[in-house]
């Protein structure tokens, strides 16, 4: 049994070692994240946000890379309206980042601190609808809550060992995502902090 686990563990490390041997310029990764959303932690929503993503790093040299890919993330859409009550929902987003990353080697190339920063274009797949406590007489009832497109800034700090990495990733909303109908007030910017785990191959 222990031999099987050891063999599986060594096989997981092989893609990373092979990449180094061939000095590949492109490396792929799969990530899963769980964290908090500051856009709705003050409401009755639970404030949790989740994300999965698939990315590719293009290396200019051992220290610098440019990462892009595609991610899906879910967030809360709490809308508080003074006249119509409150309403919460969930939104689904398709995110395409373009992140500059700096790879700082520690004891050797197997141990790295990786810092990233760059913009992300976010397409809203599930835009939510107002139900306003099921008040069907409200002029907002049934209308979509969110705009189709958003822009954010994504900083990150990760620790990497061989082909496994974990750390913190942020999302700073730069665009007001609340769709305006002349009936709504306030704004909705998404601010997230995720704990992220990645597997590189």
């Amino acid at each position: 049994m222990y031999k099987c686990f050891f063999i599986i563990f060594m096989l997981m490390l092989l893609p990373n070692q092979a990449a180094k041997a061939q000095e590949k310029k492109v490396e792929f990764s799969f990530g899963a994240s769980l964290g908090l959303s500051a856009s709705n932690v003050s409401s009755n929503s639970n404030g949790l946000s989740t994300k999965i993503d698939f990315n590719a790093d293009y290396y200019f040299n051992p220290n610098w890379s440019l990462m892009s890919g595609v991610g899906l993330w879910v967030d809360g859409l709490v809308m508080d309206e003074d006249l119509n009550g409150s309403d919460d929902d969930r939104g689904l987003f398709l995110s395409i980042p373009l992140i500059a990353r700096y790879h700082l080697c520690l004891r050797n190339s197997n141990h790295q601190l990786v810092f990233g920063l760059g913009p992300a274009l976010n397409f809203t797949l599930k835009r939510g609808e107002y139900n306003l406590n099921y008040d069907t007489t409200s002029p907002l009832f049934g209308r979509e809550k969110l705009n189709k497109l958003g822009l954010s800034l994504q900083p990150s700090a990760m620790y990497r060992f061989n082909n496994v990495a974990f750390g913190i990733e942020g999302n700073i909303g730069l665009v007001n995502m609340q769709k305006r109908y002349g009936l709504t007030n306030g704004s909705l910017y998404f601010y997230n902090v995720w704990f992220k785990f990645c597997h590189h191959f």
Side-chain angles (χ1 to χ4, degrees):
M1 178 66 74
Y2 291 109
K3 289 182 179 179
C4 289
F5 282 119
F6 178 75
I7 291 171
I8 292 171
F9 179 74
M10 292 304 295
L11 287 174
M12 289 177 64
L13 297 180
L14 283 178
N16 182 262
Q17 301 303 325
K20 289 179 182 178
Q22 299 171 16
E23 294 184 351
K24 288 170 61 176
K25 286 194 171 184
V26 179
E27 184 181 47
F28 298 96
S29 64
F30 173 80
S33 307
L34 176 66
L36 293 175
S37 169
S39 59
N40 64 333
V41 292
S42 62
S43 71
N44 58 5
S45 181
N46 58 24
L48 289 178
S49 178
T50 57
K51 184 175 78 161
I52 57 172
D53 53 34
F54 180 79
N55 297 297
D57 269 286
Y58 179 83
Y59 284 83
F60 297 97
N61 57 51
N63 296 113
W64 287 98
S65 70
L66 188 64
M67 185 188 79
S68 187
V70 62
L72 284 173
W73 57 283
V74 180
D75 216 320
L77 314 178
V78 175
M79 304 292 196
D80 294 316
E81 298 297 330
D82 295 335
L83 299 178
N84 298 306
S86 63
D87 182 47
D88 62 356
D89 206 338
R90 291 283 163 186
L92 177 65
F93 304 90
L94 176 74
S95 181
I96 300 177
L98 186 63
I99 310 296
R101 306 219 299 169
Y102 179 72
H103 305 257
L104 175 64
C105 293
L106 300 177
R107 289 174 292 177
N108 53 56
S109 59
N110 293 332
H111 297 262
Q112 297 180 0
L113 289 177
V114 184
F115 302 97
L117 182 65
L121 197 60
N122 305 309
F123 298 89
T124 311
L125 302 182
K126 183 179 183 296
R127 302 165 68 185
E129 292 182 354
Y130 288 99
N131 61 49
L132 301 165
N133 298 331
Y134 304 101
D135 179 8
T136 57
T137 64
S138 169
L140 287 174
F141 186 85
R143 293 196 179 190
E144 293 178 331
K145 296 179 178 181
L146 295 181
N147 292 315
K148 294 180 180 179
L149 188 63
L151 182 68
S152 61
L153 192 64
Q154 292 189 354
S156 61
M158 307 285 290
Y159 173 77
R160 178 173 174 178
F161 172 68
N162 285 336
N163 59 342
V164 173
F166 58 89
I168 300 294
E169 183 177 61
N171 180 73
I172 303 169
L174 302 177
V175 174
N176 180 10
M177 292 299 294
Q178 183 171 350
K179 192 169 183 178
R180 309 310 294 261
Y181 296 101
L183 303 167
T184 57
N185 52 48
S187 59
L188 184 66
Y189 292 83
F190 289 102
Y191 304 105
N192 305 82
V193 177
W194 292 300
F195 176 77
K196 185 171 186 175
F197 174 84
C198 291
H199 183 267
H200 295 258
F201 54 95

